[in-house]
Coordinates of all heavy atoms in Angstrom, one line a residue:
N3 N 147.0 -77.5 -128.4 CA 146.1 -76.3 -128.4 C 146.0 -75.8 -129.8 O 147.0 -75.5 -130.6 CB 146.7 -75.2 -127.5 CG 146.0 -75.2 -126.2 OD1 144.8 -75.4 -126.1 ND2 146.7 -74.9 -125.1
R6 N 144.3 -69.6 -132.1 CA 143.1 -69.0 -132.8 C 143.6 -68.3 -134.0 O 144.8 -67.8 -134.1 CB 142.7 -67.9 -131.9 CG 142.1 -68.6 -130.5 CD 141.6 -67.6 -129.7 NE 141.4 -68.1 -128.3 CZ 141.0 -67.4 -127.3 NH1 140.7 -66.2 -127.4 NH2 140.9 -68.0 -126.2
R48 N 133.6 -75.1 -128.1 CA 134.5 -74.1 -127.6 C 135.5 -73.7 -128.7 O 135.7 -72.5 -128.9 CB 135.3 -74.7 -126.4 CG 136.4 -73.8 -125.8 CD 137.7 -74.4 -126.0 NE 138.7 -73.3 -125.9 CZ 139.6 -73.1 -124.9 NH1 139.6 -73.9 -123.9 NH2 140.4 -72.2 -125.0
Y49 N 136.1 -74.6 -129.5 CA 137.0 -74.3 -130.4 C 136.4 -73.6 -131.7 O 137.1 -72.7 -132.3 CB 137.9 -75.5 -130.9 CG 138.9 -75.8 -129.8 CD1 138.7 -76.3 -128.5 CD2 140.3 -75.2 -130.0 CE1 139.6 -76.5 -127.6 CE2 141.3 -75.4 -129.1 CZ 140.9 -76.0 -127.8 OH 141.9 -76.0 -126.9
D52 N 135.5 -70.0 -130.5 CA 136.7 -69.0 -130.4 C 137.1 -68.4 -131.8 O 137.7 -67.3 -131.8 CB 138.0 -69.8 -130.0 CG 138.0 -70.0 -128.5 OD1 137.2 -69.4 -127.8 OD2 138.9 -70.7 -128.0
R96 N 133.1 -66.7 -122.4 CA 134.3 -66.5 -122.9 C 134.6 -67.0 -124.3 O 135.6 -66.7 -125.0 CB 135.4 -67.1 -122.1 CG 135.5 -66.6 -120.6 CD 136.7 -67.0 -120.0 NE 136.5 -67.3 -118.6 CZ 137.3 -67.9 -117.8 NH1 138.4 -68.5 -118.4 NH2 137.1 -68.0 -116.6
H97 N 133.7 -67.8 -124.8 CA 134.0 -68.6 -126.1 C 132.9 -68.4 -127.1 O 132.8 -69.3 -128.1 CB 134.3 -70.0 -125.8 CG 135.6 -70.2 -124.8 ND1 136.8 -70.0 -125.3 CD2 135.6 -70.4 -123.5 CE1 137.6 -70.1 -124.2 NE2 136.9 -70.4 -123.2
A417 N 139.9 -77.7 -118.1 CA 139.8 -76.3 -118.4 C 139.8 -76.1 -119.9 O 139.1 -75.2 -120.5 CB 141.1 -75.6 -117.9
D418 N 140.4 -77.1 -120.7 CA 140.5 -77.0 -122.2 C 139.0 -77.2 -122.8 O 138.6 -76.5 -123.5 CB 141.5 -78.0 -122.7 CG 141.6 -78.0 -124.2 OD1 141.8 -77.0 -124.8 OD2 141.3 -79.1 -124.7
G421 N 136.4 -74.6 -121.4 CA 136.8 -73.3 -121.6 C 137.1 -72.3 -120.5 O 137.0 -71.2 -120.5
E422 N 137.6 -73.1 -119.4 CA 137.8 -72.3 -118.2 C 139.2 -71.7 -118.1 O 139.4 -70.9 -117.2 CB 137.5 -73.1 -116.9 CG 136.0 -73.4 -116.8 CD 135.6 -74.2 -115.7 OE1 136.4 -74.9 -115.1 OE2 134.4 -74.3 -115.4
G423 N 140.1 -72.2 -119.0 CA 141.4 -71.6 -119.0 C 141.4 -70.3 -119.9 O 140.4 -69.7 -120.0
S424 N 142.5 -70.0 -120.6 CA 142.6 -68.8 -121.3 C 141.9 -69.1 -122.7 O 141.7 -70.3 -123.2 CB 143.9 -68.4 -121.6 OG 144.7 -69.6 -122.2

Side-chain angles (χ1 to χ4, degrees):
N3 257 327
R6 296 180 200 183
R48 180 243 154 113
Y49 278 81
D52 276 353
R96 299 193 210 166
H97 301 284
D418 181 56
E422 292 180 346
S424 55

